[in-house]
Amino acid sequence: MFGRAINRVAVVASAQTKLRDAWSNRQHVDLISEAVVGALKGSGLRIEDVDFVIDCGSDILDGRSISNCGFLGAMGAHHKEESRVEEDGLWGALYGATKIGSGSAEVGLVLAYSKPSESDVSAFYATQCEPFYQRPVGFDHAAACGFQAQSYLASHSLSEEVFADVVAHDWALAAANSAVELETAPTAGDVRASSRVAAPLHELELSRPVDGAVAVVLASKRVAQRVCTDPVWITGIGTAMDQHSFAMRERDSLPACAAAAEAAYRRAGMDGPEGASLAELSASSAATQLMVLEALGLADPGGAARLYSEGSDVALNPSGGSLPADPIMATGLVRLSEAALQLSGRVGHGPEGASSAIVHGAGGVGMQNHCVFTLEV
Amino acid sequence: MDRTTSASMEMRSEGLGTTPSEHPAFAGRIELPYKLTTGRAASVFLAELASRRIVGSRCPSCARVLVPAQDFCAECGTAAEELVVVASAGSLSGFTETAAGVLGLIRLDGASTDLVHRILDAGLADLQVGQRVAARWAEEAQGSVLDIVGFAADDAPAASEEVRPLSDPSDPVIEQPYRLRLDYQHAYGPYYGRLFDEIATSRRIQGVRCPRCECVLVPPREYCDTCFVRTAEWVDVADTGVIKAFSIIHLEFVGQVREPPYIYAEIVLDGAATRLIHTVGGIEVEEAMERLHPGTAVRAVWKDGEPVGTLEDIVYFEPVFDD
Ligand SMILES: [Zn+2]
Ligand SMILES: [Zn+2]
């Protein structure tokens, strides 16, 4: 068990900038420093207490190579141990928790940031596609999402109507979350009326790329109990990666996500997701969100849509999740921050009396990689 | 003249919280040429398209036929060295339509895996999982997966599931050219925005002072890199300074904006604590090798005409010699 056999690790503080379509009046460094300063503020810890900094982003999205080198000052990483993880920020948290859990450090700052508005999201994903067989025919992330949706509906004889309900549910929650900038939340009808961009998916059934930054402070049990009355403990972590060739993967399910969840539950001493108060998920489309719920064990294969039509015991994406706000590369770490804030009661939109959470992050074309955390207070 | 302006962090053209479109952005592009090595399996697959043969590889562990050919079976982790020829027709196992057109996942007869490719002459409404499709070949082969133009509906019955060993292979396509091109619209942000606005309006270079270490940082930024405290004060710095280090560039490289040889230098502007990277000009390379040293004084040579608000408004820094 991750939390008990070795040193326990807690999320003791976190903060994020507002997530919005474009922060076109601020640079990456401006967003990063706001998140880092926000996370430390009131945490009982200062930048001097931070033993290491792990940052997550994409050189391709940033438009410069080894972009972290230019952002060190804004991270507070001067002359500190600093590592870059070119993956979603939840893998940065995995790395940080592992360092602290092993006893090699006590306080870690994990941050992730994204400014997809400066770049072209489809070109970003296309660079991740295999260059001989995939890129020339026009295969990209949107196509992967479309294939997954088509396959999911076909396998379970479902109508495409199910997707719009998922989107409307999450956007309504995001509209109530002050961390997400939204003018209005679309209704299911609006979703179905949006243009088809990756058939059968409509534009609003794909996640909305947004700009933003998030920072999370992780600490050892000793430090957490000193600075925090309500540390949020990391009880389990699992990660798994599917094969690179999308055409050779399962398309109506996410077995790598299921493997990551199983590893996290096992380490937490859990038999499955039963008893979790909330789940914060990262999905690139409404279809893959349903598949994530099934992979996490929250629904049977093909049954996740009923969590929206009939209700769910586990609060799903109380923050709104990734569909209304997907700061690519930071999405999973936003989920961790959100879940921790909800468990510690520091934001109003978490379920009442929440005591445990499942956090999911993903990365790659068609969500090749998955990472799952379990948390408790 | 007191050139220090105490500033209230007022943002000129970059007021926080206004709508995105009002903000000018810096257009950047990354463009890189590649010569990609195809590897054994892809090199044969691409070459055989000229003979209108589709090549797969058989995994010795799970016996699946991987199409298009792969060097390794991703599920077993085993080298899939045996190359085989599969049918060029099969059935459709999935489809979507994006800005790139209609794409399909195709299970060729004899293959154990799907291939992603274009679907021709059909709208989504015409497509069904399981329907027969066949390759349409390009007139002239280029050694690319697009030597198959795409797949179209086909009435012919399924051929035998038998795969044939690859015989008389053509010369492999061992390399493919690729050009990466990515375009960006970088935000200036409030600090660079003000720096460039000041250059454009008054040829004035501004930095910010850190209240803890008292260093003046150019370009300006919200947090001091070393102290991680908020910078508090805008400060004018001079357009004169001293060379801290320099290098004469003779190398040519992709993306180079000046023709070599030229002199790249780290310059500490008078009043600043940071090094600005720019060029030194107004001096021949031979003379520069003799006379430039760390500590040599320089001054900015501004471009004629209206400044536009970039560091390119300074053509170069020219040395100022005592003699
Ligand atoms: Zn195999
Ligand atoms: Zn300082």
Side-chain angles (χ1 to χ4, degrees):
Chain A
M1 286 185 282
F2 185 88
R4 292 171 187 87
I6 51 176
N7 303 330
R8 293 195 98 184
V9 182
V11 178
V12 294
S14 67
Q16 67 180 75
T17 66
K18 197 172 265 256
L19 304 177
R20 58 189 298 203
D21 279 325
W23 274 112
S24 48
N25 53 352
R26 303 180 74 190
Q27 289 197 21
H28 296 83
V29 287
D30 301 319
L31 299 177
I32 290 167
S33 58
E34 181 188 329
V36 171
V37 169
L40 291 172
K41 191 176 174 185
S43 70
L45 294 165
R46 300 161 308 154
I47 195 72
E48 291 80 2
D49 300 317
V50 171
D51 296 320
F52 64 87
V53 178
I54 297 170
D55 49 281
C56 307
S58 159
D59 286 0
I60 295 280
L61 279 179
D62 297 344
R64 62 205 88 179
S65 64
I66 325 180
S67 58
N68 52 317
C69 292
F71 302 160
L72 284 188
M75 300 171 188
H78 180 66
H79 287 185
K80 284 192 193 298
E81 181 184 336
E82 182 266 351
S83 295
R84 157 68 155 239
V85 175
E86 193 93 357
E87 244 315 348
D88 179 274
L90 199 55
W91 277 266
L94 181 160
Y95 179 7
T98 308
K99 279 180 71 69
I100 295 169
S102 72
S104 72
E106 292 219 87
V107 180
L109 172 65
V110 181
L111 63 98
Y113 62 86
S114 188
K115 287 203 77 189
S117 70
E118 296 196 357
S119 177
D120 176 340
V121 170
S122 57
F124 159 74
Y125 279 117
T127 62
Q128 298 176 37
C129 292
E130 190 277 338
F132 308 114
Y133 298 152
Q134 295 185 343
R135 270 184 231 167
V137 302
F139 174 78
D140 64 0
H141 187 58
C145 292
F147 282 131
Q148 286 167 321
Q150 180 270 331
S151 170
Y152 183 80
L153 295 179
S155 293
H156 302 298
S157 303
L158 291 167
S159 136
E160 65 177 62
E161 305 282 297
V162 297
F163 297 145
D165 295 333
V166 176
V167 176
H169 172 272
D170 280 10
W171 280 67
L173 291 169
N177 178 357
S178 60
V180 181
E181 188 175 282
L182 275 187
E183 281 176 19
T184 50
T187 63
D190 297 334
V191 174
R192 290 183 195 112
S194 64
S195 59
R196 259 191 222 276
V197 292
L201 295 171
H202 298 86
E203 187 177 7
L204 287 171
E205 289 161 348
L206 292 172
S207 65
R208 174 179 73 135
V210 292
D211 290 359
V214 57
V216 171
V217 182
L218 302 177
S220 65
K221 180 178 176 181
R222 193 183 70 82
V223 172
Q225 288 179 332
R226 179 166 60 80
V227 300
C228 224
T229 52
D230 53 1
V232 175
W233 301 106
I234 297 170
T235 54
I237 303 180
T239 181
M241 188 185 286
D242 211 324
Q243 53 190 313
H244 187 247
S245 171
F246 176 83
M248 296 185 185
R249 286 183 225 156
E250 299 291 327
R251 292 185 294 274
D252 59 359
S253 63
L254 296 167
C257 182
E262 196 193 313
Y265 298 154
R266 191 172 62 241
R267 288 183 182 134
M270 296 160 68
D271 292 329
E274 290 74 24
S277 315
L278 65 102
E280 283 283 344
L281 320 168
S282 304
S284 296
S285 75
T288 41
Q289 181 152 308
L290 295 174
M291 293 186 223
V292 168
L293 289 166
E294 292 162 15
L296 294 176
L298 291 164
D300 291 331
R306 283 200 297 277
L307 297 174
Y308 295 89
S309 58
E310 294 168 14
S312 164
D313 294 337
V314 178
L316 306 179
N317 280 337
S319 71
S322 61
L323 296 178
D326 186 6
I328 301 161
M329 305 305 279
T331 311
L333 196 63
V334 169
R335 305 275 76 75
L336 179 66
S337 168
E338 273 288 353
L341 291 171
Q342 291 166 34
L343 289 178
S344 61
R346 278 174 283 171
V347 289
H349 51 263
E352 201 133 319
S355 59
S356 62
I358 300 165
V359 175
H360 164 259
V365 172
M367 297 169 62
Q368 184 187 355
N369 311 337
H370 297 267
C371 187
V372 175
F373 273 51
T374 54
L375 307 176
E376 68 181 32
V377 283
Chain B
M1 185 176 71
D2 180 15
R3 304 193 70 195
T4 303
T5 50
S6 124
S8 56
M9 290 294 169
E10 216 172 69
M11 311 317 171
R12 294 173 62 90
S13 59
E14 303 286 330
L16 295 175
T18 48
T19 54
S21 55
E22 290 170 27
H23 302 290
F26 176 80
R29 171 174 289 175
I30 292 177
E31 195 161 17
L32 285 174
Y34 291 85
K35 285 181 286 186
L36 301 175
T37 304
T38 50
R40 178 175 175 271
S43 71
V44 175
F45 176 92
L46 295 171
E48 290 305 318
L49 296 176
S51 315
R52 302 195 167 179
R53 293 198 290 195
I54 298 177
V55 174
S57 56
R58 197 197 309 266
C59 170
S61 303
C62 66
R64 293 184 312 147
V65 175
L66 313 169
V67 180
Q70 309 284 327
D71 284 314
F72 286 85
C73 172
E75 289 183 20
C76 306
T78 311
E81 289 177 0
E82 184 194 349
L83 297 176
V84 297
V85 178
V86 300
S88 55
S91 58
L92 195 60
S93 56
F95 46 84
T96 186
E97 184 173 19
T98 67
V102 179
L103 294 173
L105 291 159
I106 298 130
R107 181 69 59 96
L108 294 171
D109 298 334
S112 312
T113 62
D114 291 338
L115 163 99
V116 60
H117 217 298
R118 296 171 175 169
I119 300 297
L120 307 173
D121 307 331
L124 280 185
D126 310 322
L127 300 178
Q128 275 186 331
V129 169
Q131 82 172 68
R132 299 290 302 167
V133 291
R136 294 271 181 84
W137 298 93
E139 291 292 316
E140 216 171 305
Q142 309 281 340
S144 151
V145 71
L146 293 179
D147 291 346
I148 302 170
V149 182
F151 286 80
D154 186 61
D155 294 336
S160 152
E161 294 283 313
E162 286 291 298
V163 298
R164 291 174 286 130
L166 175 66
S167 56
D168 306 318
S170 316
D171 287 341
V173 176
I174 58 170
E175 195 174 274
Q176 262 198 348
Y178 179 69
R179 196 160 189 97
L180 177 76
R181 200 180 107 179
L182 297 164
D183 287 303
Y184 298 89
Q185 291 292 322
H186 293 300
Y188 286 108
Y191 291 84
Y192 280 43
R194 176 155 168 176
L195 169 73
F196 293 130
D197 282 356
E198 289 292 334
I199 287 174
T201 54
S202 56
R203 289 185 173 163
R204 186 164 69 154
I205 302 169
Q206 288 204 308
V208 287
R209 193 192 310 276
C210 168
R212 184 174 295 173
C213 67
E214 301 195 335
C215 288
V216 173
L217 312 170
V218 180
R221 64 209 74 172
E222 189 175 8
Y223 279 82
C224 173
D225 297 68
T226 46
C227 306
F228 200 61
V229 298
R230 201 151 188 256
T231 56
E233 186 190 1
W234 285 91
V235 178
D236 284 2
V237 299
D239 65 355
T240 58
V242 294
I243 292 175
K244 201 79 181 171
F246 71 98
S247 178
I248 300 170
I249 308 295
H250 296 277
L251 275 176
E252 291 180 26
F253 54 85
V254 174
Q256 199 164 28
V257 292
R258 286 179 169 76
E259 201 175 321
Y262 56 90
I263 305 161
Y264 222 36
E266 287 189 336
I267 295 159
V268 178
L269 296 175
D270 295 328
T274 49
R275 285 164 287 182
L276 178 77
I277 292 178
H278 213 291
T279 51
V280 172
I283 182 170
E284 292 301 321
V285 163
E286 289 300 317
E287 193 189 353
M289 288 169 68
E290 288 288 318
R291 301 193 67 190
L292 294 189
H293 302 283
T296 301
V298 292
R299 67 174 162 236
V301 175
W302 293 86
K303 210 156 52 181
D304 291 334
E306 283 292 296
V308 295
T310 75
L311 285 176
E312 298 290 300
D313 286 329
I314 296 171
V315 191
Y316 52 74
F317 284 80
E318 67 178 5
V320 183
F321 297 115
D322 293 336
D323 42 25

